[in-house]
């Protein structure tokens, strides 16, 4: 535009003093306004710019009089400028333990908050906003003297609390129920600490979160959250309605500039274009020093107060995020609707720092189990005594879900603190589960096989602490082999009872391993029975093992346990000797022409003896071969350097090693028949090693891979980043893969990079029929490419932690062979994989409950995310979601009669009443929705 030639020269040569910066900011705003609204520059604007340039060249600079004259010459545009409104929202972005340890985070929070209190005292118009309940907890714990002044500013409306979550959490790896608890516990905590009405907290402030999963709006709506602020994960829409399949939506603002920084004189230049694109006259400017805290500076406030008086800029004001979103509401129907997940960014964060991720999944799953056990305890007439302990544990779990901790983009000090508070959380979960099983177990009649003579028994109290569920340690082997809560013995003599607890909604028929302590009778006179006295076949996997002056055997048998219930199984001494069970007594030959075979009623798996690759995997129900090439093996990847972002970014693959093919495989042991079959092998590669045990249980559809890695690979700046992955080619045509994500499931096409999932990934066959799925106990990074699905196990990133994940790791992977691609079947397989049957060693005593019992039955196409005692202790809360695209019918049957049932939300508020007294409820479940019911018994 030739008429602006001198304007561009003015812009280039001007700006050395306050007055020059002021007029340049005003001219730049007007220029953008004219371009957006008029598509042409007014003559008066061009003449004024030319005149200013002439004065600049004549005198070498502009002074106050020159600027005031120019503003007067352009005064006709004053009203047009003031039609635009800019809300300046202050914030201090505080990364929880990102590149530093917890003591520094505490110091950052205290110092930042003190600065803000000082500025609030000095500047009456200033408004400050702060997210993350954890920052307020830091003040409560470490600087409580600051709380009265913070409360005062909150009540004045000058300190806006934008915390609807405990931390600014990851939105891909955090589980469904944990996301709900962020909202519940944050709102309840802030209500008690600062006197905030929970309903007034309506913004989820997530400026730096690394992507946003598909059903986030569903979960937010469940918690009364209407608005969403983010920066990453979308580079298209700026203001939009993010809608999920159920029809629920949140109003979203995607920060077009950045979520932190100073107030600059030209900060309004983007406003006309932004407002035109988004059908609004309202703009938002986010300011304040951040990442390491700090918040707005005195200069920021002085500039805002000064600029709001400038005649040719928009109406500029201090403001709140809530106020800005509410201003956007009047044009809500004008904003586009977005119906997709807001991914992907930082794909390395789905795998980096394996121990933190392992601890997160272990804690989430165990707290689900502990709460379900607590619900059973409640239905026995007991109220959980340590509800506060679970809340403390949840705080630790939620803290670790911060978007630089759970994703692994953090330093060594962060990892140490994270694993430490994970252990504390797990301690609460284990203790509460232990007490709940005892409370229920004490009320069960366990005398079906009579009473033992235990006068000479040493078993009671044996095994304390044995195999307790642990969290991953920084070095050495993990504390547990599987997910056990307690294996301490409460029985004695020659009659033992094991109460098996099922914390899922599914009837379970599967293999159980129990520990039999100080058993004096010979194993040849030992029998396993169910609660009705029927003999159950069993196998001995370990004999005469020692543990702290006690001895034990390990027994395997197949058990059936009802949903959300228990079943008793007895170990008794027979009067007459029977054939002693063998450790391994194969009935058929399982090594056929250079292959190993694991086979049960549903699955046949054939392994090459040289490489231990799967060469055949058959769904016996459909007589369908699932493979057309070797599968189920480990690959060592060298990634291209990601230029200092090795924790965050998976680089291009530069070298791929097939470890099973290239390493010497050593078979350690094998059992090829019976209730549980397995093959264990070892391979050494580079500086590391793997020990892999492949298991197939009776009646199972899942091959279970128990993996121990001793990892000592390191990445090199400017070099390559090593990665370990499990690779599973499949032999059918698939165009999409279904992944479990928070709040539901998504179907994705091959993306050519890693994608996140919580419980499983399953390549869907184009033609209906048998389907493979891949699940794990703690892994999140998947990829589907060229008829193969893989899951990433370890990455040796080199920054910001120079040597992450060195040492021992234990995980379990599952390869499922399903007769169809039904999502409920996939979910049940994944849930049962991650939530074992818990074997509680009970004592023999009379009781009011029978040998097998279901406290609650849930029948319908849903996944239960929580069965828990309500926060007020008045009843139970059942939360679930429906992944179906159609409305489903759900039936809930309670063992005890209830007083009332109503719908509820994340805050456990009672909604629509569904039933009065009774014990069976039929309720409609909307398509693709997250819902919950509140059941009052007292």
């Amino acid at each position: 535009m030739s008429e602006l030639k001198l304007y561009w020269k003015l812009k280039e040569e001007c700006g050395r003093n306050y007055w020059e910066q002021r007029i340049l900011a005003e001219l730049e705003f007007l220029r953008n306004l004219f371009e957006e609204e008029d598509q042409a520059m007014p003559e008066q604007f061009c003449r004024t710019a030319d005149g200013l340039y002439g004065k600049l060249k004549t005198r070498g600079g502009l002074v106050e009089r020159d600027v005031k004259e120019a503003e007067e010459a352009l005064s006709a545009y004053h009203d047009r400028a003031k039609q635009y409104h800019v809300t300046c929202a202050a914030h201090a972005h505080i990364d929880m333990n990102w590149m530093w340890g917890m003591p520094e985070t505490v110091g950052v929070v205290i110092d930042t908050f003190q600065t803000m209190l000082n500025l609030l005292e000095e500047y009456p118009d200033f408004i400050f906003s702060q997210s993350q309940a954890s920052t307020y907890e830091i003040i409560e714990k470490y600087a409580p003297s600051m709380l009265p002044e913070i409360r005062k500013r909150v009540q004045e409306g000058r300190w806006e609390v934008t915390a609807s979550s405990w931390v600014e959490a990851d939105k891909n790896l955090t589980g469904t129920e944990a996301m709900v608890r962020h909202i519940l516990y944050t709102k309840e905590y802030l209500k008690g600490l600062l006197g905030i009405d929970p309903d007034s907290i309506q913004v989820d402030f997530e400026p730096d979160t690394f992507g946003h999963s598909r059903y986030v709006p569903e979960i937010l709506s469940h918690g009364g959250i209407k608005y969403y602020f983010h920066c990453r994960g979308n580079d298209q829409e700026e203001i939009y309605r993010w809608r999920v399949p159920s029809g629920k939506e949140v109003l979203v603002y995607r920060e077009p500039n950045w979520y932190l920084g100073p107030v600059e004189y030209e900060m309004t230049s983007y406003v006309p274009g932004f407002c035109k694109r988004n059908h609004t006259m309202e703009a938002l400017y986010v300011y304040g020093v951040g990442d390491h805290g700090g918040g707005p500076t005195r200069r920021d406030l002085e500039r805002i107060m000064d600029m709001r008086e400038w005649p040719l800029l928009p109406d500029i004001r201090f403001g709140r995020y809530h106020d800005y979103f509410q201003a956007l509401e009047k044009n809500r129907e004008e904003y586009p609707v977005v119906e997709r997940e807001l991914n992907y960014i930082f794909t390395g964060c789905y795998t980096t720092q394996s121990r933190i991720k392992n601890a997160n999944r272990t804690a989430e799953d165990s707290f689900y189990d502990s709460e379900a056990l607590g619900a059973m305890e409640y239905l026995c007439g007991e109220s959980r005594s340590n509800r506060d302990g679970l809340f403390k544990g949840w705080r630790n779990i939620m803290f670790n879900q911060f978007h630089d901790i759970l994703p692994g983009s953090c330093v060594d000090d962060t990892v140490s603190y994270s694993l430490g508070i994970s252990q504390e959380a797990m301690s609460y979960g284990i203790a509460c589960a232990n007490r709940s099983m005892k409370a229920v177990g004490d009320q069960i009649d366990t005398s079906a096989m009579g009473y033992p003579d235990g006068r000479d028994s040493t078993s009671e109290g044996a095994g304390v602490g044995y195999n307790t569920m642990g969290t991953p340690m920084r070095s050495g082997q993990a504390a547990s082999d599987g997910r056990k809560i307690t294996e301490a013995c409460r029985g004695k003599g020659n009659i033992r009872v094991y109460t098996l607890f099922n914390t899922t909604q599914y009837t379970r028929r599967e293999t159980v391993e129990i520990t039999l302590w100080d058993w004096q009778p010979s194993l040849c006179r030992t029998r396993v029975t169910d609660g009705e006295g029927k003999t159950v076949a069993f196998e001995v996997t370990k004999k005469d093992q020692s543990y702290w002056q006690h001895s034990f055997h390990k027994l395997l048998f197949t058990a059936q346990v009802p949903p959300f219930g228990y079943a008793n199984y007895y170990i008794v001494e027979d009067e007459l000797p029977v054939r002693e069970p063998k450790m391994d007594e194969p009935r058929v030959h399982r090594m056929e022409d250079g292959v190993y075979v694991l086979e049960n009623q549903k699955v046949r798996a054939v392994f090459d003896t040289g490489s231990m690759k799967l060469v055949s995997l058959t769904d016996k129900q459909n007589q369908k071969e699932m493979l057309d090439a070797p599968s189920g093996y480990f690959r060592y990847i060298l990634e291209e350097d990601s230029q200092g972002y090795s924790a965050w970014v998976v680089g291009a693959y530069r070298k791929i090693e097939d470890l099973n093919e290239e390493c010497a495989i050593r078979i350690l042991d094998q059992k090829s028949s019976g209730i549980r079959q397995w093959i264990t092998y070892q391979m050494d590669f580079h500086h590391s090693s793997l020990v892999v045990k492949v298991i197939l249980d009776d009646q199972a559809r899942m091959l279970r891979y128990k993996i121990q890695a001793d990892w000592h690979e390191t990445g090199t700046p400017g070099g390559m980043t090593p990665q370990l992955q499990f690779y599973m080619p499949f032999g059918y045509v698939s165009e999409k893969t279904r992944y479990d994500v928070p709040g539901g499931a998504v179907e994705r096409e091959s993306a050519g990079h890693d994608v996140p999932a919580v419980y499983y990934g399953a390549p869907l066959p184009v033609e209906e029929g048998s389907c493979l799925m891949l699940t794990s106990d703690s892994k999140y990074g998947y990829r589907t490419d060229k008829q193969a699905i893989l899951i990433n196990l370890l990455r040796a990133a080199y920054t910001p932690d120079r040597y992450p994940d060195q040492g021992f790791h234990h995980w379990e992977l599952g390869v499922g062979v399903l007769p169809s691609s039904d999502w409920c079947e996939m979910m049940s397989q994944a849930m049962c994989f991650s939530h074992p049957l818990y074997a509680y060693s009970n004592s023999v005593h009379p009781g009011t409950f029978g040998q097998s019992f279901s406290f609650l039955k849930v029948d319908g196409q849903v996944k239960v995310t929580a069965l828990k005692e309500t926060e007020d202790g008045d009843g139970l809360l059942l939360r679930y979601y429906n992944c179906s695209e159609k409305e489903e019918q759900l039936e809930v049957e309670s063992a005890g009669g209830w007083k009332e049932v109503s719908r509820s939300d994340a805050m456990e508020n009672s909604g629509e009443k569904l039933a009065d007294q009774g014990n069976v409820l039929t309720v409609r479940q909307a398509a693709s929705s997250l819902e919950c019911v509140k059941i009052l018994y007292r």
Side-chain angles (χ1 to χ4, degrees):
M1 303 172 71
S2 58
E3 65 267 27
L4 288 180
K5 182 176 181 180
L6 295 183
Y7 168 80
W8 294 117
K9 289 187 175 182
L10 177 69
K11 186 175 175 64
E12 181 179 344
E13 299 176 25
C14 195
R16 287 165 294 185
N17 62 43
Y18 164 80
W19 293 103
E20 291 178 0
Q21 291 174 347
R22 169 170 166 165
I23 194 61
L24 280 180
E26 292 179 300
L27 291 176
E28 182 66 7
F29 170 76
L30 288 178
R31 182 187 68 81
N32 286 321
L33 183 153
F34 298 141
E35 284 188 351
E36 296 296 342
E37 293 188 1
D38 304 331
Q39 282 77 50
M41 291 299 113
E43 184 177 338
Q44 182 62 36
F45 178 86
C46 296
R47 284 203 305 269
T48 301
D50 291 351
L52 287 169
Y53 183 71
K55 293 175 182 179
L56 177 70
K57 299 303 289 184
T58 300
R59 296 201 296 267
L62 299 178
V63 296
E64 178 180 2
R65 182 182 62 189
D66 301 327
V67 172
K68 292 294 184 69
E69 288 175 353
E71 290 174 341
E72 178 62 29
L74 297 172
S75 61
Y77 306 113
H78 170 275
D79 290 347
R80 286 182 67 182
K82 298 301 179 184
Q83 288 178 346
Y84 291 89
H85 307 288
V86 178
T87 297
C88 294
H91 183 67
H93 184 61
I94 300 175
D95 282 323
M96 296 289 117
N97 300 10
W98 173 30
M99 305 288 276
W100 48 84
M102 187 63 180
E104 190 165 341
T105 296
V106 170
V108 165
V109 171
I110 293 173
D111 290 342
T112 298
F113 279 27
Q114 186 59 63
T115 302
M116 295 305 100
L117 290 173
N118 294 346
L119 293 175
L120 286 163
E121 179 68 24
E122 186 173 346
Y123 293 89
D125 292 342
F126 170 50
I127 297 172
F128 175 65
S129 303
Q130 183 61 49
S131 63
Q132 305 190 106
S134 58
T135 62
Y136 300 96
E137 185 193 34
I138 285 172
I139 296 299
E140 182 188 26
K141 289 175 66 175
Y142 302 107
S145 62
M146 298 174 66
L147 280 174
E149 191 173 359
I150 294 173
R151 289 193 191 103
K152 175 185 174 183
R153 297 309 181 191
V154 169
Q155 296 305 315
E156 289 175 352
R158 296 181 56 213
W159 184 303
E160 180 193 28
V161 176
T162 54
S164 61
S165 56
W166 200 255
V167 294
E168 293 169 11
D170 184 271
K171 297 291 190 180
N172 283 310
L173 314 185
T174 301
T176 308
E177 190 59 28
M179 284 191 181
V180 173
R181 300 307 174 89
H182 273 278
I183 300 171
L184 169 63
Y185 292 139
T186 293
K187 286 189 172 186
E188 285 297 312
Y189 176 71
L190 294 173
K191 176 185 176 182
L193 186 73
L194 301 175
I196 298 174
D197 178 4
D199 292 339
S200 70
I201 299 176
Q202 299 181 340
V203 175
D204 188 2
F205 188 77
E206 306 290 347
D208 196 26
T209 300
F210 306 158
H212 315 266
S213 60
R214 179 70 182 94
Y215 295 94
V216 166
E218 184 74 37
I219 298 168
L220 296 181
S221 297
H222 187 61
I225 305 300
K226 298 180 179 180
Y227 309 118
Y228 199 63
F229 178 101
H230 77 101
C231 186
R232 303 184 191 272
N234 185 10
D235 58 2
Q236 301 174 43
E237 300 85 1
E238 295 164 318
I239 300 175
Y240 56 96
R241 295 146 60 195
W242 190 14
R243 183 179 295 168
V244 287
S246 70
K248 299 184 183 75
E249 63 182 34
V250 291
L251 184 58
V252 181
Y253 177 87
R254 193 265 298 171
E255 175 56 50
N257 301 308
W258 202 238
Y259 58 87
L260 54 83
V263 171
E264 303 287 4
Y265 287 132
E266 291 194 358
M267 72 179 194
T268 63
S269 61
Y270 80 98
V271 170
F274 171 85
C275 289
K276 182 178 180 180
R277 291 191 303 273
N278 293 288
H279 310 286
T280 183
M281 300 301 284
E282 304 287 340
L284 180 68
Y285 188 80
V286 177
Y287 69 102
V289 178
D291 287 348
H292 197 251
T297 64
R298 182 182 305 277
R299 188 187 74 171
D300 292 333
L301 308 189
E302 293 286 350
R303 282 188 171 183
I304 290 171
M305 292 189 298
D306 182 25
M307 293 168 65
R308 66 186 180 183
E309 304 300 326
W310 296 1
L312 301 179
L313 286 188
D315 172 35
I316 299 174
R317 62 189 75 160
F318 293 107
R320 306 167 188 83
Y321 292 93
H322 282 84
D323 294 340
Y324 178 71
F325 276 108
Q326 288 163 11
L328 295 180
E329 282 282 8
K330 61 186 177 183
N331 294 327
R332 188 184 187 101
E333 297 304 314
E334 298 291 328
Y335 308 134
V337 173
V338 171
E339 298 180 282
R340 64 177 188 273
E341 59 182 319
L342 305 180
N343 281 318
Y344 305 93
I345 183 171
F346 297 155
T347 56
C349 290
Y350 310 147
T351 304
T352 304
Q353 295 288 7
S354 172
R355 289 189 177 92
I356 291 177
K357 292 172 170 60
N358 195 331
N360 180 71
R361 265 291 298 280
T362 300
E364 284 188 347
D365 287 343
S366 67
F367 269 57
Y368 165 94
D369 291 335
S370 181
E371 290 180 338
L373 291 166
M376 299 180 206
E377 177 184 0
Y378 181 91
L379 290 173
C380 285
E382 302 288 337
S383 182
R384 169 159 280 175
S385 59
N386 195 17
R387 195 183 302 115
D388 289 343
L390 282 179
F391 176 41
K392 292 175 183 176
W394 269 114
R395 289 190 191 188
N396 289 352
I397 293 169
M398 294 185 298
F399 185 90
N400 278 340
Q401 290 168 340
F402 182 75
H403 64 260
D404 281 311
I405 299 177
L406 179 53
S409 50
C410 52
V411 296
D412 184 69
D413 282 351
T414 316
V415 179
S416 297
Y417 183 80
S418 171
L419 295 181
I421 64 173
S422 290
Q423 289 188 56
E424 183 183 38
M426 291 301 303
S427 298
Y428 284 119
I430 291 168
C432 289
N434 184 308
R435 294 296 84 195
S436 292
M437 288 193 294
K438 181 183 185 304
V440 177
D442 285 349
Q443 298 194 43
I444 299 171
D445 179 7
T446 57
S447 63
M449 304 304 292
Y451 289 83
D453 180 2
R455 287 172 294 180
D456 195 36
S457 176
T458 62
S459 60
E460 189 171 7
V464 292
Y466 177 74
N467 247 5
T468 300
M469 183 190 307
T471 51
M473 298 294 96
R474 298 188 55 77
S475 62
Q477 298 191 12
S480 64
D481 176 20
R483 296 188 171 181
K484 312 275 175 67
I485 291 177
T486 177
E487 291 197 52
C489 183
R490 296 300 162 210
K492 59 187 177 181
N494 60 351
I495 299 176
R496 306 289 178 84
V497 58
Y498 289 82
T499 302
L500 307 183
F501 285 93
N502 176 8
T503 60
T504 73
Q505 70 202 76
Y506 313 104
T507 298
R508 308 274 288 272
R509 178 175 172 79
E510 58 191 64
T511 301
V512 175
E513 184 178 64
I514 60 100
T515 306
L516 182 60
W517 293 98
D518 293 341
W519 183 248
Q520 294 177 356
S522 168
L523 286 172
C524 71
R525 296 180 61 177
T526 297
R527 184 161 58 95
V528 178
T529 78
D530 64 14
E532 304 302 318
K534 297 177 182 177
T535 298
V536 176
F538 74 96
E539 295 176 355
V540 178
T541 57
K542 291 183 180 180
K543 291 175 61 177
D544 300 321
Q545 303 292 302
S546 297
Y547 180 81
W548 295 103
Q549 292 88 56
H550 291 278
S551 65
F552 66 87
H553 310 305
K554 289 278 191 180
L555 274 58
L556 278 177
F557 56 89
T558 300
Q560 182 162 314
V561 188
F564 293 122
Y566 68 84
N568 285 339
Y569 282 81
Y570 294 84
I571 315 296
V572 298
E573 180 184 10
D574 254 353
E575 294 181 2
L576 299 175
V578 295
R579 179 177 54 84
E580 182 172 354
K582 299 293 185 181
M583 299 285 287
D584 182 12
E585 186 176 337
R587 294 181 179 273
V588 294
H589 186 63
R590 293 295 188 184
M591 186 171 177
E592 304 170 1
D593 297 327
V595 296
Y596 292 119
V597 179
L598 301 181
E599 184 173 4
N600 64 13
Q601 303 88 338
K602 298 176 181 179
V603 175
R604 176 181 165 88
V606 181
F607 299 83
D608 177 76
T609 55
S611 66
M612 277 306 297
K613 289 182 176 180
L614 274 167
V615 291
S616 175
L617 186 59
T618 305
D619 173 15
K620 295 174 69 173
Q621 178 176 326
N622 293 337
Q623 293 299 303
K624 171 72 173 178
E625 172 60 57
M626 308 303 296
L627 309 178
D628 61 6
S631 187
Y633 55 94
F634 296 87
R635 304 201 306 180
Y636 181 80
I637 308 296
L638 290 179
E639 304 171 15
E640 185 177 67
D641 182 52
S642 49
Q643 303 299 317
Y645 277 81
S646 64
W648 290 267
V649 178
V650 175
Y653 293 180
R654 290 307 179 204
K655 185 177 181 181
I656 300 174
E657 292 183 35
D658 179 341
L659 294 179
N660 288 63
E661 202 67 50
E662 297 180 17
C663 298
I665 301 294
R666 185 158 62 97
I667 303 299
L668 302 182
D669 69 346
Q670 178 196 7
K671 180 176 178 292
S672 55
S673 65
I675 297 171
R676 171 169 290 171
Q677 305 167 41
W678 67 76
I679 309 169
T680 306
Y681 66 92
Q682 179 176 335
M683 66 172 79
D684 300 325
F685 60 96
H686 302 286
H687 308 288
S688 305
S689 66
L690 288 175
V691 176
V692 182
K693 186 173 186 177
V694 190
I695 299 170
L696 182 64
D697 283 339
D698 181 57
Q699 299 289 338
R701 286 196 165 275
M702 189 81 68
L703 281 173
R704 185 181 288 261
Y705 285 71
K706 296 171 72 78
I707 303 165
Q708 175 185 296
D710 187 10
W711 178 255
H712 296 283
E713 309 305 312
T714 59
T716 306
M720 299 290 182
T721 298
Q723 178 192 136
L724 179 68
Q725 62 184 213
F726 181 77
Y727 191 65
M728 192 75 197
F730 49 88
Y732 55 87
V733 178
S734 175
E735 296 176 351
K736 291 185 177 181
T737 302
R738 180 181 295 145
Y739 293 101
D740 175 68
V741 299
V746 295
E747 295 180 7
R748 299 168 174 146
E749 296 180 354
S750 176
H753 57 71
D754 291 358
V755 298
V758 179
Y759 275 105
Y760 68 83
L764 302 177
V766 171
E767 297 181 0
E768 184 58 38
S770 302
C771 179
L772 282 180
M773 67 175 289
L774 193 57
T775 187
S776 84
D777 62 354
S778 61
K779 299 301 173 185
Y780 297 95
Y782 292 74
R783 184 183 296 204
T784 307
D785 188 28
K786 296 179 181 178
Q787 296 304 113
I789 184 170
L790 64 86
I791 189 167
N792 288 322
L793 305 175
L794 288 168
R795 296 183 67 245
Y798 61 82
T799 183
D801 185 353
R802 183 66 182 88
Y803 300 107
D805 279 337
Q806 295 290 298
F808 284 99
H809 299 262
H810 291 246
W811 327 285
E812 295 193 13
L813 308 180
V815 177
V817 182
L818 309 184
S820 73
S821 56
D822 176 65
W823 83 266
C824 285
E825 175 65 18
M826 291 179 184
M827 197 69 250
S828 69
Q829 290 287 335
M831 283 291 287
C832 293
F833 184 88
S834 291
H835 296 272
L837 296 175
Y838 292 110
Y840 175 72
S841 172
N842 213 336
S843 60
V844 176
H845 53 256
T848 56
F849 285 87
Q851 299 303 308
S852 179
F853 193 72
S854 174
F855 289 95
L856 197 77
K857 296 177 181 178
V858 180
D859 187 15
Q861 302 293 299
V862 300
K863 180 209 171 182
V864 172
T865 69
L867 174 63
K868 63 181 286 287
E869 187 177 345
T870 57
E871 296 298 309
D872 60 15
D874 287 342
L876 297 182
L877 198 82
L878 176 70
R879 190 166 6 255
Y880 49 89
Y881 64 75
N882 172 19
C883 275
S884 173
E885 296 179 355
K886 62 180 181 179
E887 183 181 283
E888 297 285 352
Q889 186 166 289
L890 179 72
E891 183 172 283
V892 180
E893 181 179 352
S894 174
W898 52 58
K899 175 183 174 184
E900 179 183 303
V901 182
S902 62
R903 294 191 188 273
S904 186
D905 58 14
M907 299 305 297
E908 303 190 3
N909 299 309
S910 297
E912 174 195 0
K913 182 185 287 189
L914 299 172
D916 287 313
Q917 294 182 356
N919 73 324
V920 178
L921 169 71
T922 301
V923 60
R924 295 188 309 277
Q925 168 72 2
S928 305
S929 63
L930 173 68
E931 297 183 12
C932 70
V933 294
K934 188 175 183 180
I935 308 172
L936 302 182
Y937 289 90
R938 301 170 186 170

